[in-house]
Every structure is written in C-alpha cells, then in structure tokens.
Amino acid sequence: MQTVKVRASTEYDVLIERGILKRAGELIKEYTGAGRALLITDRTVDGLYSKAALESLKSAGINCEKFVFEDGEEHKSLKTVGDILSFAAQLSLNRSDIFIALGGGIVGDVTGFAASAYLRGVRFVQIPTTLLAAVDSSVGGKTAVDLGDYKNIIGAFHLPEKVLVSTHFLYTLPDREWLCGMGEIIKTAFLDRKVYEILDGSPEKLLERDEAVLEACVHECITYKRELTARDLYESGPRKALNVGHTIGHALEKTDKHRRSHGEYVLMGMEIESFILGDRMDCERRKEISAFVAETGVDYPDFNPEEVAAACMKDKKNGGGAISVMLPDYENTREVRLSFDEVLRGVTLWKLSR
Ligand code: NAD
Ligand code: MG
C-alpha cells in the first residue's frame, strides 16, 4: 500500500492499493473507529461496487446504511443533499458516525458537502471510482453542489478523514470517463515534470490503460495536488496552476452544454489557451500540447467565439474586466490576465486556423 499524506487545515492520508475495496471496512474501522456509516453512491456504481463495499464494512463490524441517487450532474444539487441529510437524520446518525462516498467526482462532492453540513460537520471517507475522482477531486477538500446553471456555487472546504484509492475500479469505466480523467493527468504533465516523465512524452500508454503507467500517474498526480493544497488550500496563489486549460475549457463546456466530459474540454482548453498565449509561451511546449491533445482524439464541437469569450467573462475566477489564463511552465507556471478582446481575437483566429 502506498500512502500520500495530505497536510491542509488538518492532515489526512490517501491510501493507494490495488483492490482496496475488500479491505475498506478494516481500514475505515482502524482509522476512524466508527461503528455506523452511511454509504453514499450513484445508481451505476451501486450496481458495480456497493455489495462488496457493504460486505467489507459489515465484516469489520461497521453497521452501514446505503443512500443511492441517480447519476449525472443534474443530481449534484441541493435536493440530493437535502435527501441525504433527511435520511441521516431519520437514522439518527451522530457525530461519531461517518459518511462514505463511493463513486466519481459527483458522489464525492455531494457527500463531502452533506458531511460538512450534517450536525455542523461529520467525518467522511472517500472511495473514488473514476479516474478523475482518483487524481483530482479526491484531493483538496473542495466540496460543492450546483444551483441550476451555476456550477459548484454552493459548497464548503471539508477535508475527508481518509481517501481509499484503487486502480481496479478504473477498468469498468466507459471510454468517455477514461478520457475525462486523462485530461486532468495530461494537464498535470505540463505542470509536474514527473508526470511528463512517467508518460514518456506521449499519452499512448494511458490510452492503452497500461496498469503500471496508470498507477504511477495516479500516485504522482495526487502527490502534486497535495503539495499545492498544502501551500494554498483556498486557491489564492500556487493552487491556481491547476486551472491550466480551465478558462477556455469551462467556457466550451458551458457553450457546448456539457455534451462531452470535463477532461475533454480541459484538453481543448489547454490547446486553445496556449494558442492565445502565443509568444508568451515556449513554441515547442505549444506544439507538444497540441500533439498530446491530437493523440487523445478529442473532437472539438463547433462553437461561436463570441459566446466562448462571453462565457469566460462570467467565470467565477474572472473579474475586473480581465480574463485569467494560466500559462503552464512547470515551476514557473503563472497567471496571465487577458482582456475580453484578446480572448475573442485568439479564439476566433484559432477557429479560422483549423
Ligand atoms: P461522475 O461522478 O459523474 O462519474 C461519471 C460516470 O461514471 C457516472 O455515471 C458514474 O456512475 C460512472 N462511474 C463511476 N465510477 C465508475 C466505474 N468504476 N465504472 C463504471 N462507471 C463508473 O463524474 P466524474 O468525472 O468522476 O466527476 C465529475 C464531477 O467532479 C463534476 O461535478 C466536477 O465538478 C467534480 N470535480 C470536483 C473536484 C473537487 O476538487 N472537488 C475536482 C474536479 C471535479
Ligand atoms: Mg478540472
């Protein structure tokens, strides 16, 4: 088992072990001492992994109830959180009991936020089952739900007690969800040289779901995000590096109405942002980003540059008439503030150049 210690406002461990679900009960009992738990999951993950999780918890002497909600971003809502809170109250769960998130980023965000609110905060454990959740959303303490079109607008920083990661979950992931997690890993390859080296300059091994490469990437992405979170939990400085590709990425995600996965928009966002940044960025690096993105085979939606630039202005990261774009350059990664006109011109030219 590999352990990555995360030091944020409190400290917690991310435990990485192939097939960890079988040992989940024993590990959760050992680390939290909880006698009761509420396992929270979505419909798909319930069908795949709940049974094994509940068996493991039961054999460790944890009395566990289950709450299942429907898949999809539209259920990352206050309604779902309200349903979870009502269920927890009906069960009379108390402060020594725990919530367990078994699923992707949506289950993690909903569970974390519900845990932050129930009894003014109960402990929770995360068992991420998507590549995105393993490498990204399970580290950093951000929890949130959406309010209509406003994504992640209601939430809290609430750190898990433990995160249990296993790559074995990832083999049942559909290709689109795989590509989603890959997007964030490829982004990290341009922020953390170790990830670039693991990939050996190409996303090929990841596309093939090579086990050794996958495990090394998961470990290093968690370690990298851990470093940033320890230095900057509230995203006022170094943690902003993680927003590479996300300014244009989020705008495309919005204007394309979420037809593709988040990671695909991040990949497109990285390519378009590096085009807009132009000479501020190393020419070879720009070419490399384009080559990585092309190899993943993401297909761009048709988009209206005006709408994309307008969506950038509405992003919660941007204000004062400027649009923030992160320039990826390892330890020299930095924020560049661009005007609406610069972004509009850049996106328009990029589209014409295709
Ligand atoms: P998701 O949770 O919707 O999961 C995607 C789909 O895959 C779902 O249908 C799910 O049921 C299914 N699934 C999950 N695990 C599976 C498995 N092992 N095998 C087969 N199918 C499986 O999506 P996601 O990409 O994991 O997460 C996206 C969410 O994460 C977004 O809401 C985003 O805002 C959030 N997020 C949060 C943070 C954070 O720091 N808190 C960071 C990044 C993303
Ligand atoms: Mg992201």
Side-chain angles (χ1 to χ4, degrees):
M1 183 160 65
Q2 293 177 294
T3 303
V4 182
K5 283 206 172 306
V6 180
R7 282 183 202 89
S9 48
T10 57
E11 194 174 293
Y12 66 93
D13 292 339
V14 179
L15 309 177
I16 310 171
E17 183 178 88
R18 207 174 302 166
I20 205 162
L21 191 60
K22 283 201 255 9
R23 296 222 292 133
E26 167 202 332
L27 292 166
I28 292 172
K29 187 75 186 173
E30 180 184 338
Y31 290 111
T32 69
R36 284 195 306 172
L38 177 58
L39 181 80
I40 299 167
T41 190
D42 70 19
R43 186 72 58 203
T44 301
V45 179
D46 182 44
L48 292 166
Y49 300 113
S50 277
K51 191 166 171 276
L54 290 170
E55 275 169 13
S56 168
L57 290 157
K58 193 174 166 205
S59 65
I62 301 175
N63 181 357
C64 191
E65 296 283 342
K66 180 176 83 170
F67 181 93
V68 182
F69 64 96
E70 299 306 320
D71 300 23
E73 189 74 30
E74 66 273 31
H75 299 287
K76 196 173 123 170
S77 63
L78 282 176
K79 157 94 174 59
T80 305
V81 170
D83 292 346
I84 292 171
L85 297 178
S86 302
F87 191 57
Q90 279 161 29
L91 296 170
S92 307
L93 292 185
N94 63 42
R95 280 235 177 90
S96 56
D97 302 326
I98 56 163
F99 287 9
I100 301 172
L102 177 70
I106 291 184
V107 170
D109 278 6
V110 164
T111 305
F113 183 51
S116 80
Y118 187 64
L119 302 176
R120 301 193 183 90
V122 290
R123 300 173 299 165
F124 81 112
V125 170
Q126 260 180 295
I127 310 180
T129 63
T130 63
L131 186 53
L132 180 99
V135 299
D136 189 353
S137 63
S138 63
V139 185
K142 283 188 187 175
T143 75
V145 295
D146 307 334
L147 192 62
D149 276 351
Y150 297 94
K151 199 170 149 54
N152 293 333
I153 199 156
I154 304 171
F157 283 92
H158 189 57
L159 298 161
E161 285 296 297
K162 280 276 178 289
V163 182
L164 310 184
V165 176
S166 164
T167 50
H168 93 277
F169 291 117
L170 307 177
Y171 292 93
T172 55
L173 272 186
D175 288 345
R176 178 132 280 171
E177 300 308 329
W178 188 263
L179 198 48
C180 179
M182 266 185 69
E184 297 287 358
I185 295 178
I186 290 173
K187 173 197 80 180
T188 312
F190 291 92
L191 297 170
D192 173 3
R193 285 179 215 281
K194 287 192 194 142
V195 176
Y196 185 88
E197 280 157 20
I198 294 165
L199 294 180
D200 203 13
S202 151
E204 195 184 330
K205 288 272 189 322
L206 262 188
L207 279 163
E208 291 166 358
R209 305 195 187 196
D210 178 292
E211 191 142 353
V213 167
L214 177 63
E215 282 190 357
C217 280
V218 166
H219 183 268
E220 186 52 33
C221 285
I222 289 172
T223 306
Y224 176 75
K225 192 167 176 187
R226 179 271 305 265
E227 304 297 335
L228 291 184
T229 305
R231 284 159 63 200
D232 177 25
L233 180 63
Y234 298 107
E235 203 177 276
S236 55
R239 187 168 176 176
K240 285 187 185 176
L242 297 167
N243 291 331
V244 163
H246 281 66
T247 296
I248 297 292
H250 277 153
L252 284 173
E253 200 163 1
K254 209 164 200 178
T255 55
D256 193 38
K257 305 199 167 37
H258 304 271
R259 286 191 190 93
R260 292 158 176 79
S261 75
H262 173 70
E264 289 170 88
Y265 294 110
V266 171
L267 289 167
M268 298 174 207
M270 278 179 75
E271 191 176 26
I272 299 181
E273 286 174 14
S274 58
F275 179 87
I276 300 174
L277 288 166
D279 291 344
R280 295 177 183 90
M281 234 177 121
D282 178 60
C283 173
E284 285 308 308
R285 180 85 29 84
R286 278 207 318 263
K287 282 191 197 148
E288 229 173 3
I289 288 177
S290 286
F292 263 77
V293 174
E295 250 193 276
T296 62
V298 290
D299 72 307
Y300 276 87
D302 188 23
F303 59 83
N304 174 340
E306 286 267 1
E307 279 175 20
V308 171
C312 289
M313 286 300 281
K314 284 195 187 146
D315 193 311
K316 63 180 181 299
K317 294 188 292 295
N318 301 318
I323 294 170
S324 156
V325 172
M326 295 307 296
L327 187 158
D329 187 15
Y330 298 103
E331 52 288 342
N332 299 318
T333 297
R334 58 191 179 277
E335 184 174 17
V336 178
R337 297 188 68 80
L338 301 173
S339 68
F340 173 83
D341 287 343
E342 275 175 295
V343 172
L344 176 57
R345 196 176 329 116
V347 176
T348 308
L349 286 175
W350 187 85
K351 195 177 169 190
L352 288 171
S353 74
R354 297 281 288 175

